[in-house]
Amino acid sequence: MSASNGHRVRVVVATPAHSGLRGPLSYESERALPPGALLRVPLGKREVLGVVWDAEPDDDAGAGFTARPVAACLDEIAPLPAAWCQLVDFTANYYQRGVGEVALAALPPQLRDLDGTQLARRLKKVATGHPAVRGADVGPPPSPEQQGALDRIAAGDGPFLLFGATGSGKTEVYLRAAERVLARDPAAQALVLVPEINLTPQLLARFVDRFGAAHVVAMHSGLTPAQRLRSWLAAHHGHARIVLGTRMAVFTSLPRLGLIVVDEEHDPSYKQQEGARYSARDLAVLRGRLETVPVVLGSATPSLESWQACESGRYQRLEMPSRIGAGALPRVRLVDMNQQPRKTLLAPALLEAIGERIARGEQSLIFLNRRGYAPVLACTACDWKSDCPHCSAFRVFHKADRTLRCHHCGYTERVPRACPGCGNVDIAPLGRGTEQLEEHLSELLSQQLRPGPDGQSRPVRVARMDADTTRAKGALEAQLAQVHAGEVDVLVGTQMVTKGHDFRRITLVAAVNPDTALYSSDFRAPERLFALLMQAAGRAGRDAAHADASQMWVQTWNPGHPLFTALRRHDYPGFAASQLRERREAGMPPFVFQALVRAEARTQEAAQAFLKAAREGGEGLDATGQVMLYSAVPMSLQRVANVERAQLLVESASRPALQHFLAAWQPVLQALRTPGVLRWAVDVDPLAV
DNA sequence: AGCACGCCGACT
DNA sequence: GTCGGCGTGCTC
């Protein structure tokens, strides 16, 4: 190496956490390279993409290796902004992963594969210059509530929690807030996050409509690699003014970021469940702080974390209780299933109400969070049940193709003719899924007729929408179009039907069996159920003409449960207050901070042995005495695809204490060599404990 | 993660 | 005699 005129650069590459190479690697470069510059560097026998990280440190000058030369510099692409590097650095540290792993995962995958010439060609395709954004007065005039929220966003520094009922016009606030930021700075950019790919098209359309297609790009895993690279380059070089995408989009390089919006901020989809298990919502808040940019978190049912942050003054709450262009929220009717005959699937009063809607040419939405025909198949003579041989779960009976399918590992078999245990031919479904509900409703409504457009009566149309009916490409869009076109009278579906879709003609929403969430061991289950039911209720009566007659039906065996009482009043603040009180008393998040170590092994013993050793290795690492290590326990779904899973909970009332502990613990975990352990991972701020 | 090297079974 | 199974180990 030519130490006299060569430059030592520190570069991060995609080295996974367990590889032992956690920090940046040193390379030789002929010229000085700025932090954030993209490079190709040799790594073993390969040549990989790297990002220049910090300046040369003086502590590894004499280390036991010779730095290899940088292979190429991708000069066509501007270096990543310092704020982007800070965000990646924080993410890696906070979520206990390697910097390089996080940095490279945050870049479009195609960037890794293309060489300099290919990239130059791609870059030419991305439009240059900053065409003026479209006029600011395209949208409807903001309501006083919307204007109040906008004024506070413009005046304060946030983060803001935009607490607005479904239909209160949160989107218009996002649009106007973005408009303002873009109008003030001719190069400013806004980042808009949505929970799911499915929800991007309609919000994207709103932004394109307002700002013009040239300024808006999408960023999510549904894009082709080429599209994703194109969007990313447009954002990175400042040509895109609005980036709209799913959680991954929080890492988009945006040189002139001026606003961050997180829509439906309570949605669990914002938590990444693989690799670095980040919360895009939390990172959005952090990014806003790093770049001194306002952050707007929007929801009708905020996460208790965000709600508590408002209570403690860390976030500012902006309230929009009124529904725009619609009447009151639907009236909530509870059906006490204790008063119904046993095995009632749909209460007669509910059926009657559905019938009334059909007669009036209105639509109903029936929600059941379980796909398939029945969750279990059981022998009536012996104790055989449709267990999955590979998982600690039942296989679900799908009547349409006569299969038993495991929803966890995918193992599928044809339904046996007779009981595999005793040969009895009488095997019966236990419980109900959407398929059965659809079948049942079709039968019950088969006698009924609906008014046709020509005055003639027509048979009632029942449709089902779940992961099974929307699997094919374009099927979801086709089904939604059918509902919108009024070709469906009663729509049965899983929670996918409750999200976002603006069904104009629906005036009745029913939750058939939401009680399971009340008995869940997950302390967040009530919070999720409340959000789900509120969101479902929001599907009804979005059209002002029918809003007054719109209803939300809930069938429950626990009609006195406070959750339903709050739901009936549409009282999220009351529900949140009681949940937070319980959480505070029980010492649960958001009043304590948690992390999990999850281990996967061939046997449960091996998984727990690893965690036991991890726990022993962790004793004494916490000097503060504020970190609590629990015992290793099997995960609630103990075995998936023949892999045994266990977890260990770590908890502290102090986030810094927990962070210090986890950082000190990491090398200990890394060094553990427990036989039989396949994988392990740390999950900071886990959603399901 | 890749991609090596490394030592033991069934085949042109 | 080789092709190839995937068990450790290294990558600036």
Side-chain angles (χ1 to χ4, degrees), chain A residues 610-675:
Chain A
F610 171 85
L611 295 173
K612 193 159 174 277
R615 190 184 177 194
E616 281 159 12
E619 302 283 358
L621 284 182
D622 164 50
T624 67
Q626 294 182 75
V627 177
M628 169 89 174
L629 285 159
Y630 288 83
S631 302
V633 292
M635 284 180 64
S636 59
L637 190 59
Q638 185 176 326
R639 186 166 51 104
V640 171
N642 290 323
V643 173
E644 288 283 341
R645 300 138 34 110
Q647 65 183 26
L648 186 162
L649 177 64
V650 189
E651 204 173 75
S652 176
S654 156
R655 207 198 290 258
L658 181 60
Q659 275 294 309
H660 280 127
F661 171 76
L662 293 176
W665 203 20
Q666 192 69 42
V668 177
L669 297 175
Q670 212 89 239
L672 286 180
R673 290 285 175 269
T674 319

Side-chain angles (χ1 to χ4, degrees), chain A residues 85-409:
Chain A
C85 296
Q86 280 179 279
L87 176 67
V88 166
D89 236 339
F90 175 89
T91 306
N93 290 324
Y94 188 81
Y95 293 102
Q96 304 295 318
R97 311 295 294 201
V99 191
E101 180 197 2
V102 174
L104 277 293
L107 294 170
Q110 232 184 22
L111 215 52
R112 286 184 292 218
D113 313 328
L114 298 180
D115 63 38
T117 12
Q118 290 170 306
L119 271 171
R121 203 176 306 138
R122 288 299 164 80
L123 278 164
K124 273 192 191 157
K125 286 189 181 170
V126 179
T128 51
H130 306 279
V133 288
R134 207 176 277 176
D137 34 41
V138 184
S143 72
E145 277 180 8
Q146 288 172 329
Q147 192 56 54
L150 286 163
D151 290 345
R152 294 221 6 228
I153 294 167
D157 27 47
F160 302 97
L161 180 65
L162 182 61
F163 173 50
T166 22
S168 65
K170 292 189 287 291
T171 306
E172 187 58 31
V173 174
Y174 307 153
L175 288 163
R176 296 245 164 211
E179 224 162 54
R180 181 177 174 277
V181 166
L182 268 52
R184 279 157 52 101
D185 174 353
Q189 299 172 298
L191 174 64
V192 181
L193 302 183
V194 292
E196 284 178 33
I197 290 182
N198 292 342
L199 304 177
T200 53
Q202 44 180 324
L203 199 59
L204 198 65
R206 294 279 300 269
F207 274 86
V208 166
D209 199 37
R210 193 65 63 89
F211 297 99
H215 300 284
V216 186
V217 297
M219 186 66 80
H220 54 74
S221 59
L223 300 179
T224 67
Q227 288 172 325
R228 198 160 140 195
L229 178 65
R230 199 184 154 87
S231 288
W232 187 86
L233 287 171
H236 177 57
H237 285 150
H239 310 139
R241 307 292 303 282
I242 310 267
V243 172
L244 192 150
T246 52
R247 59 176 181 266
M248 67 182 332
V250 77
F251 290 111
T252 311
S253 163
L254 293 155
R256 292 291 281 270
L257 184 62
L259 172 74
I260 304 177
V261 170
V262 183
D263 191 26
E264 306 292 357
E265 67 89 24
H266 65 278
D267 199 297
S269 308
Y270 283 120
K271 183 81 158 83
Q272 171 82 21
Q273 296 295 1
E274 265 161 20
R277 297 172 176 236
Y278 61 87
S279 157
R281 180 240 292 152
D282 294 351
L283 289 182
V285 171
L286 175 91
R287 189 167 182 180
R289 197 159 72 219
L290 287 175
E291 306 199 32
T292 48
V293 150
V295 179
V296 179
L297 310 177
S299 178
T301 50
S303 64
L304 291 176
E305 279 76 10
S306 298
W307 195 258
Q308 177 55 29
C310 291
E311 298 293 302
S312 68
R314 285 187 295 120
Y315 294 0
Q316 294 185 47
R317 182 157 51 221
L318 313 174
E319 302 199 19
M320 297 202 304
S322 315
R323 270 187 129 178
I324 301 259
L329 285 158
R331 201 153 71 85
V332 176
R333 304 198 41 167
L334 298 179
V335 179
D336 184 353
M337 295 307 275
N338 299 297
Q339 308 294 316
Q340 305 295 325
R342 270 182 60 80
K343 293 202 161 189
T344 299
L345 185 44
L346 292 163
L350 172 56
L351 266 171
E352 198 179 311
I354 294 170
E356 285 169 20
R357 313 286 138 167
I358 294 168
R360 290 207 296 264
E362 298 169 7
Q363 296 172 306
S364 301
L365 183 68
I366 318 299
F367 161 63
L368 174 62
N369 221 358
R370 221 169 211 174
R371 65 189 170 88
Y373 190 86
V376 193
L377 214 54
C379 175
T380 53
C382 72
D383 61 356
W384 181 86
K385 286 191 172 70
S386 56
D387 304 88
C388 174
H390 311 298
C391 306
S392 47
F394 294 118
R395 279 174 298 166
V396 175
F397 173 39
H398 288 256
K399 196 176 181 180
D401 55 4
R402 307 240 16 120
T403 57
L404 290 178
R405 302 220 288 258
C406 177
H407 287 184
H408 304 284
C409 74

Side-chain angles (χ1 to χ4, degrees), chain A residues 36-49:
Chain A
L38 287 157
L39 308 171
R40 298 198 67 84
V41 292
L43 182 70
K45 300 265 170 178
R46 299 175 294 157
E47 195 178 288
V48 296
L49 182 67

